[in-house]
Amino acid sequence: MSLLNEENNFYNVDLLDLLKDSNEAVLPYKRIRFRRNQKILTEGAETTYFYIIEDGVVSMSKNTCKEDSIISFLGKQDSIGPLTLLGGAKSPANYTSISEVSVYQFERKYVLNKLLSSPDVFWQMNALMQSMVTPMLEREGYVNLPSSEKVLAGLIACGERFGRIESDGSCLIPYYFTQKILGNYLNLARAYVATNLRKLEEDGIIALSPKPWRVNDFEIHKQKLKENHEPYI
């Protein structure tokens, strides 16, 4: 995890603590669970809520003429819908659970009041914006890689943040990162994703079975991508 991500997590933890701290008799939040593939916020829809993820993974996507294009993934302690705090409170993107997800749900007005009364309001808002924009910029780097390397780059990106490193140096990719999810994230047709996954398996870079998918020698392949495509990643 990069230093920037560590800083964002630090501020998000502080934000959650700030929002949960209340003198009211009633808790200022609800804890809500979403099943896999449920919409949490819909692009263009108004919302009166602000969310912080307790557990699980959420995709952030934009509507297109075909399938939605995933521009970012959100995980534990990330915020859902920071831009809805301002303006007309319309969500600029879709937020969809790709695994089972648990969130803290706060009233939008309550969050605004808490932020505006905090001495660290600038840093909190800056961290919210960075946590939203940085993954989008990283994703642009992945989609600009040579097409033959996109799928591996996508697997490494998902594995680095949400995967599990094994004792042999491989990384297990969570089962909910499917061919369809990867295709929507990398702007690739599902059939193309499947073809490249098979090629990566033939080359010994990944193992597709038994599930979950496994990226062998994870750190080595991650480093190779960075060395070969430094301007992109």
Side-chain angles (χ1 to χ4, degrees):
M1 183 179 290
S2 68
L3 178 60
L4 178 59
N5 286 336
E6 289 177 0
E7 289 174 352
N8 286 339
N9 283 338
F10 169 77
Y11 282 117
N12 282 334
V13 170
D14 273 358
L15 176 59
L16 182 56
D17 287 343
L18 172 68
L19 296 181
K20 289 172 69 176
D21 182 24
S22 173
N23 294 324
E24 301 294 328
V26 179
L27 289 174
Y29 62 85
K30 294 180 180 178
R31 293 173 72 180
I32 300 176
R33 292 199 66 84
F34 292 91
R35 298 186 305 275
R36 190 178 175 191
N37 297 324
Q38 274 193 287
K39 280 280 177 66
I40 300 173
L41 288 181
T42 300
E43 182 178 349
E46 291 191 8
T47 179
T48 59
Y49 300 113
F50 177 84
Y51 304 87
I52 294 181
I53 299 173
E54 180 183 23
D55 193 33
V57 179
V58 172
S59 68
M60 178 182 180
S61 65
K62 293 288 289 180
N63 294 332
T64 67
C65 59
K66 297 180 181 179
E67 294 188 89
D68 288 355
S69 177
I70 295 174
I71 54 180
S72 180
F73 295 108
L74 309 175
K76 186 175 182 179
Q77 298 173 356
D78 284 333
S79 302
I80 297 176
L83 290 180
T84 63
L85 289 173
L86 307 173
K90 288 187 178 181
S91 178
N94 298 301
Y95 293 85
T96 307
S97 58
I98 67 169
S99 70
E100 290 190 351
V101 170
S102 176
V103 301
Y104 293 95
Q105 180 194 69
F106 297 89
E107 290 281 349
R108 172 175 169 267
K109 289 183 180 179
Y110 169 82
V111 175
L112 273 175
N113 289 336
K114 290 291 283 189
L115 285 175
L116 293 176
S117 64
S118 169
D120 297 322
V121 58
F122 171 79
W123 298 111
Q124 298 286 3
M125 294 303 295
N126 180 62
L128 280 174
M129 294 305 104
Q130 283 191 355
S131 67
M132 184 179 68
V133 172
T134 300
M136 297 182 193
L137 297 178
E138 291 175 348
R139 180 257 192 180
E140 287 305 303
Y142 307 140
V143 298
N144 287 328
L145 287 172
S147 58
S148 61
E149 299 182 21
K150 280 185 180 181
V151 172
L152 177 58
L155 287 173
I156 288 175
C158 296
E160 185 171 21
R161 185 162 184 202
F162 304 107
R164 188 180 77 200
I165 300 296
E166 299 290 272
S167 59
D168 62 358
S170 64
C171 179
L172 298 182
I173 307 298
Y175 70 94
Y176 40 79
F177 287 103
T178 62
Q179 293 179 12
K180 181 178 180 181
I181 293 289
L182 281 176
N184 290 353
Y185 179 56
L186 299 169
N187 288 338
L188 292 174
R190 185 173 178 177
Y192 190 87
V193 173
T195 297
N196 278 271
L197 285 173
R198 288 194 297 270
K199 185 177 185 303
L200 288 169
E201 185 172 41
E202 290 170 0
D203 292 341
I205 297 173
I206 69 172
L208 299 177
S209 60
K211 288 188 176 180
W213 299 338
R214 179 188 300 265
V215 179
N216 299 318
D217 301 317
F218 185 77
E219 288 297 327
I220 293 175
H221 291 298
K222 184 178 76 172
Q223 197 58 39
K224 281 183 179 178
L225 274 176
K226 289 183 177 180
E227 291 173 356
N228 294 337
H229 305 284
E230 195 65 42
Y232 297 117
I233 298 182

